[in-house]
């Protein structure tokens, strides 16, 4: 027998209530029952996004919502500033290029947060920039960006602020309205404790104006259609009925716990994870800007990082994430996002210790678990 534990930055574990909701027989979407579920989901999402703006639900992964942002705001030939400090920042640049939008790339060293002052400088130097594409938590590096400070430097400019909050929404603070985020995109499989398959996107009045003038080709992701439908508590196409019903369950859990408590819980999980790996003599990849969503850890010199992740998963059933792109084999990532509690972290750290020990890494067994326990006892 073997039990499985999921400590990856998406998908994240599913609460039993969510699984149960998905096990119900399917219903038709043009019915009062589904409309009630959709209405509840649309309202609940406003709570999680901390916004009065409309939040649209798409049947796609998070990248679909990112693509929707680009094509609904811009036209070929427009200029956009893309912040690139990891794999997901790069995705904004790639999406812009795919539609003929000119990306002005602000390269940030992987492991560092972007400087809001640098964004301000770029906007002043180039008044043609129509949109700034940013990332809340850069999952590939574990970095959290200061969206609040970025919002301040963008709000009185011609540009709209677009935030990829696929990783982090519902786990760490992102106050869409108070932080002047014009467009926020997210996905279902992370902080929202659902399987992959839903994309979300909120649109501010400033962004809605761009939506009317954008000339990018679009059909399925045309948010003008989504807006018209939402006004009738409907969707333009067949929605992911089962996932939306499950979303109502997870939103209920989120409201019950309260966003403030959820943010504190994530901070505690992250503090414990960071304390544990440091107690093992390991080094954080992004010590200056570490997110409370996922912790990236440098693989020690003599250790095969890919083998470490594989052994934890295939031998012991504990799935963490390896490094992506240029960080392949160089970091491993332990996520503490969504339906995660302190003993999930203890299991993850304990397994990490066991495999590191078997691989010949020198440290005092139990020190990681001890450090995590000490954080939890505070
Ligand atoms: N942005 C970030 C920050 C992410 O972590 C991810 C998923 N790992 C995405 C975008 C892409 O989302 P999806 O895989 O759901 O398309």
């Amino acid at each position: 027998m073997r039990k499985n534990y999921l400590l990856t930055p998406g998908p994240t574990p599913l609460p039993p209530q969510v699984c149960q909701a998905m096990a119900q027989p399917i219903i038709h979407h043009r019915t009062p029952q589904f409309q009630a579920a959709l209405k509840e989901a649309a309202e609940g999402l406003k709570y999680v996004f901390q916004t009065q703006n409309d939040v649209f639900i798409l049947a796609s992964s998070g990248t679909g919502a990112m693509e929707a942002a680009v094509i609904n705001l811009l036209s070929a030939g427009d200029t956009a500033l893309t912040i690139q400090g990891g794999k997901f920042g790069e995705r904004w640049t790639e999406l812009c290029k795919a539609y003929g939008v000119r990306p002005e790339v602000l390269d940030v060293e992987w492991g560092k947060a972007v400087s809001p002052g640098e964004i301000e400088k770029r906007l002043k130097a180039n008044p043609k920039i129509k949109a700034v594409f940013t990332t809340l938590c850069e999952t590939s590096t574990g970095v959290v960006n200061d969206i609040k400070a970025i919002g301040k430097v963008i709000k009185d400019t011609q540009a709209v602020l677009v935030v990829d909050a696929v990783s982090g929404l519902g786990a760490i603070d992102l106050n869409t309205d108070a932080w002047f985020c014009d467009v926020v995109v997210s996905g279902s499989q992370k902080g929202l404790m659902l399987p992959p398959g839903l994309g979300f996107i909120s649109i501010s009045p400033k962004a809605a104006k761009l939506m009317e003038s954008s000339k990018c080709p679009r059909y399925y992701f045309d948010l003008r259609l989504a807006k018209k439908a939402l006004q009738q508590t409907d969707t333009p196409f067949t929605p992911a009925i089962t996932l939306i019903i499950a979303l109502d369950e997870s939103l209920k859990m989120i409201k019950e716990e309260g966003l403030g408590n959820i943010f504190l819980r994530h901070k505690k999980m992250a503090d414990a994870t960071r304390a544990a790996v440091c107690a093992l003599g390991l080094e954080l990849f992004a010590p200056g800007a570490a997110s409370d969503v996922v912790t990236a850890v440098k693989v020690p010199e003599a250790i095969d990082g890919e083998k470490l992740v594989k052994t934890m998963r295939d031998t012991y059933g504990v799935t963490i994430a390896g490094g992506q792109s240029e960080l392949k084999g160089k970091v491993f990532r332990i996520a503490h996002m969504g339906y995660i509690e302190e003993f999930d972290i203890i299991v993850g750290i304990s397994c990490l210790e066991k495999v590191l020990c078997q691989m010949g890494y020198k440290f005092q067994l139990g020190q990681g678990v001890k450090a995590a326990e000490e954080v939890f006892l505070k």
Side-chain angles (χ1 to χ4, degrees), residues 119-140:
I119 294 177
E120 190 173 20
K121 241 190 260 169
R122 294 289 191 105
L123 283 171
K124 279 203 179 122
N126 188 352
K128 279 199 179 148
I129 293 169
K130 269 194 169 173
V132 180
F133 290 101
T134 62
T135 315
L136 171 64
C137 170
E138 180 44 82
T139 320
S140 59

Side-chain angles (χ1 to χ4, degrees), residues 61-63 66 88 91 135 137 139 164 166-167 189-190:
S61 78
T63 305
M66 293 173 76
F88 295 104
R91 189 158 298 177
T135 315
C137 170
T139 320
D164 165 2
V166 172
S167 207
Q189 76 274 28
K190 306 204 180 208

Side-chain angles (χ1 to χ4, degrees), residues 64 66-78 95-101 211 213-225:
M66 293 173 76
E67 182 153 346
V70 172
I71 62 182
N72 281 280
L73 297 173
L74 301 171
S75 309
D78 281 349
L95 276 165
C96 284
K97 283 183 181 163
Y99 286 95
V101 171
M211 223 162 86
S213 61
S214 153
K215 292 188 183 59
C216 266
R218 60 198 131 143
Y219 186 86
Y220 185 69
F221 287 132
D222 189 340
L223 295 180
R224 292 168 300 189
L225 301 179

Side-chain angles (χ1 to χ4, degrees), residues 184-203:
V184 172
V185 301
S186 196
S188 49
Q189 76 274 28
K190 306 204 180 208
L192 291 174
M193 308 179 286
L194 296 165
L198 293 180
F200 308 104
I201 179 164
S202 73
I203 302 281

